[in-house]
Amino acid sequence: EDQVTQSPEALRLQEGESSSLNCSYTVSGLRGLFWYRQDPGKGPEFLFTLYSAGEEKEKERLKATLTKKESFLHITAPKPEDSATYLCAVQVYSGGGADGLTFGKGTHLIIQP
Amino acid sequence: EAQVTQNPRYLITVTGKKLTVTCSQNMNHEYMSWYRQDPGLGLRQIYYSMNVEVTDKGDVPEGYKVSRKEKRNFPLILESPSPNQTSLYFCASSVGGPVLHQYFGPGTRLTVL
């Protein structure tokens, strides 16, 4: 069974204190790994898609990396507006074409001023 | 403005009373999907549709129905709702499948008494 595990469940940082969120996955054949941001009471907002080990993508203070077993979302010098829940999801290859997505439970990030 | 809309945003109903949650997107996307989000369980996919008249089950399809008669609309039907379907529901769409940027709707909070 495909599994996606995110850690930590919650993380509290001071403004400017860099850190990393982890997403480990156990899947039969990875088609893509995704990072989303979700603010309270809103739908998830797309951040990145990573397709193969070694790939990296950046957006402002966020950088996502991918290995064969896990992905990291690095947050550099975070600001209070970066506070949100960060979700990781994977899609796997299937014989009949595209499958759905499997999401992790998310990391709730709080950045204190 | 490119967006996914859901209606209603909030709904309180009783066990067994059929209901439909509508989802519409104005981006001419082929792929649409429904998720439910529960505390401690994260986002789980209910159904998805790769194109008109093409739908497939996600991880938790029991108790739900969908239809895709038009490209822009993807309603979620609960024919006989039960209290365990109390949840926050999200509709999403993307141009060519979940490996691409998915746009999420604002969510529908459903309570079944």
Side-chain angles (χ1 to χ4, degrees):
Chain A
E1 181 182 335
D2 300 329
Q3 287 194 331
V4 180
T5 303
Q6 292 188 245
S7 62
E9 290 184 12
L11 181 61
R12 188 183 298 265
L13 300 172
Q14 293 294 318
E15 184 174 359
E17 181 184 0
S18 301
S19 188
S20 297
L21 312 182
N22 178 263
C23 172
S24 63
Y25 60 91
T26 307
V27 299
S28 53
L30 183 70
R31 190 173 184 195
L33 184 141
F34 313 86
W35 284 98
Y36 283 83
R37 169 193 171 126
Q38 186 174 23
D39 293 302
K42 295 189 176 182
E45 177 186 342
F46 173 83
L47 292 174
F48 305 109
T49 305
L50 301 167
Y51 296 102
S52 58
E55 189 173 1
E56 299 182 352
K57 289 192 176 174
E58 286 189 69
K59 179 181 180 180
E60 297 180 354
R61 294 176 292 282
L62 300 177
K63 179 180 178 180
T65 63
L66 182 65
T67 72
K68 289 186 177 180
K69 294 183 179 180
E70 58 191 350
S71 177
F72 291 94
L73 184 65
H74 306 278
I75 302 177
T76 302
K79 299 181 178 181
E81 54 261 42
D82 294 322
S83 298
T85 296
Y86 291 85
L87 303 172
C88 171
V90 299
Q91 193 205 19
V92 298
Y93 283 102
S94 71
D99 261 347
L101 284 184
T102 300
F103 278 83
K105 296 178 182 179
T107 293
H108 182 51
L109 177 65
I110 298 173
I111 309 298
Q112 294 180 312
Chain B
E1 179 189 356
Q3 61 182 353
V4 177
T5 57
Q6 296 178 227
N7 282 293
R9 294 288 315 279
Y10 303 91
L11 179 61
I12 300 174
T13 189
V14 295
T15 299
K17 186 177 181 182
K18 181 178 179 179
L19 66 92
T20 299
V21 183
T22 65
C23 173
S24 182
Q25 48 93 3
N26 63 358
M27 296 166 280
N28 201 36
H29 285 170
E30 292 178 348
Y31 179 91
M32 297 187 74
S33 180
W34 276 103
Y35 298 86
R36 62 178 288 173
Q37 188 171 38
D38 302 288
L41 296 176
L43 266 170
R44 293 178 293 168
Q45 193 166 41
I46 304 171
Y47 270 95
Y48 61 95
S49 169
M50 294 300 293
N51 213 326
V52 175
E53 301 294 356
V54 180
T55 63
D56 209 345
K57 297 177 181 179
D59 294 325
V60 287
E62 295 78 19
Y64 304 94
K65 287 178 59 177
V66 293
S67 68
R68 188 89 181 276
K69 293 184 171 58
E70 305 169 279
K71 200 171 189 178
R72 64 180 293 130
N73 296 322
F74 191 43
L76 179 69
I77 303 158
L78 285 71
E79 298 231 332
S80 184
S82 62
N84 65 11
Q85 292 179 297
T86 292
S87 187
L88 179 58
Y89 291 87
F90 290 102
C91 179
S93 74
S94 76
V95 65
V99 285
L100 300 176
H101 180 163
Q102 277 198 88
Y103 293 81
F104 280 78
T108 295
R109 186 166 292 281
L110 172 66
T111 302
V112 183
L113 301 175

